Amino acid sequence: MTCSLVTGWGRASRGFGCCGDSEGGVEETRILDWCAPAFDRFPMRGTGGSRSEADYLRRAHGWVQGAVRPVYALDDLQPASVTVAKSRGSCSQRLAVVEALARRAGIATRVEGLVLRGEFWYPRFRYLRPFVPDRVLLAWPSFLVDRGWLDASAVFSEGCRLQSTAFSNRGSETLFDAAARARIRWGETPVSSGCVDLSGYVVESLGTFDSRDDLFGAYGQTLIRPVRTVLEPVFSRWAAS
């Protein structure tokens, strides 16, 4: 059983169609506010010297893993600097921090809007299943590395590993963490052995957007504001474990 009453977004209600490939960008946005002083905590300023763009992004991901603990926060519009200042954030918020750090170093980012089945989150919310939205909107980032677009797991991980285990979406490993240990497949591209295949949870792709601000500006967040307002004080401190 899933719930559609708490869902606040939808293509049908907003009249937006599927978007094509976007150009991405490095500009500061409301969410990706990389000029904020909070990012001075990150020890690297850019990709100078022998450091490649991919290496910089992997280090940024690792830094966020250690500096921002995973919680079930609900506000996808929270500025990345606030997430860093609080030292806690959801998968979406932690990914936004990496995107902000990428733009800070001049690496362009964009996101794909993925509509996922609510069942994807059942293992984490076993006793709250009736209240899990039937469809959840996920902003999955890509980075312009060596003049080509690579999605988050292609950058953070070392590809598909023969001994890689499936992602269970339970326990201490979050989607943000899993992206660093194995390539994640969302689409119809054939999957290699050792990759994590999550394509079965994808209802549709809404295309790519220049930023997560544009995606959520067009489609809204998964949960309606009254629900987020009531739940956020609890969920934003509820550690993923």
Side-chain angles (χ1 to χ4, degrees):
M1 177 179 178
T2 55
C3 181
S4 60
L5 298 178
V6 297
T7 303
W9 71 279
R11 183 179 59 194
S13 64
R14 296 176 182 267
F16 290 92
C18 184
C19 300
D21 284 342
S22 67
E23 296 181 356
V26 297
E27 299 81 11
E28 188 179 26
T29 70
R30 180 183 178 277
I31 300 175
L32 308 177
D33 58 341
W34 56 265
C35 288
F39 290 103
D40 291 339
R41 292 171 52 185
F42 184 57
M44 298 165 59
R45 287 295 304 180
T47 58
S50 60
R51 188 180 301 122
S52 69
E53 293 172 332
D55 180 58
Y56 173 89
L57 293 171
R58 283 191 287 269
R59 288 174 179 266
H61 179 274
W63 180 80
V64 174
Q65 275 187 307
V68 183
R69 65 185 179 90
V71 295
Y72 297 125
L74 305 173
D75 186 8
D76 285 318
L77 300 184
Q78 176 171 286
S81 65
V82 174
T83 301
V84 174
K86 290 182 175 180
S87 298
R88 64 178 188 271
S90 66
C91 279
S92 179
Q93 292 169 346
R94 296 167 91 200
L95 285 169
V97 174
V98 179
E99 291 172 58
L101 289 171
R103 293 190 174 210
R104 183 175 184 251
I107 302 172
T109 76
R110 69 184 186 186
V111 297
E112 181 179 7
L114 296 173
V115 182
L116 305 184
R117 303 182 190 281
E119 293 94 317
F120 181 64
W121 279 270
Y122 278 1
R124 291 202 175 275
F125 302 104
R126 290 177 296 172
Y127 303 110
L128 297 175
R129 286 186 180 183
F131 303 101
V132 174
D134 56 347
R135 299 289 185 267
V136 176
L137 180 58
L138 173 69
W140 189 247
S142 293
F143 304 88
L144 189 59
V145 176
D146 296 330
R147 300 182 180 180
W149 287 104
L150 294 176
D151 88 298
S153 66
V155 176
F156 302 154
S157 72
E158 297 179 2
C160 302
R161 302 179 181 180
L162 294 179
Q163 302 301 319
S164 180
T165 57
F167 176 61
S168 63
N169 205 7
R170 61 164 56 92
S172 59
E173 185 183 53
T174 66
L175 183 61
F176 180 89
D177 302 312
R181 70 168 171 84
R183 181 75 180 267
I184 294 175
R185 173 182 179 257
W186 294 109
E188 298 178 354
T189 304
V191 62
S192 301
S193 176
C195 289
V196 176
D197 185 4
L198 300 178
S199 60
Y201 293 104
V202 179
V203 177
E204 65 176 314
S205 170
L206 302 176
T208 59
F209 296 76
D210 286 344
S211 70
R212 59 181 53 236
D213 301 65
D214 290 344
L215 170 62
F216 293 119
Y219 288 92
Q221 299 189 63
T222 296
L223 296 176
I224 58 178
R225 180 178 293 180
V227 174
R228 294 199 312 271
T229 301
V230 171
L231 298 181
E232 183 69 18
V234 176
F235 277 63
S236 65
R237 296 180 180 276
W238 183 2
S241 60

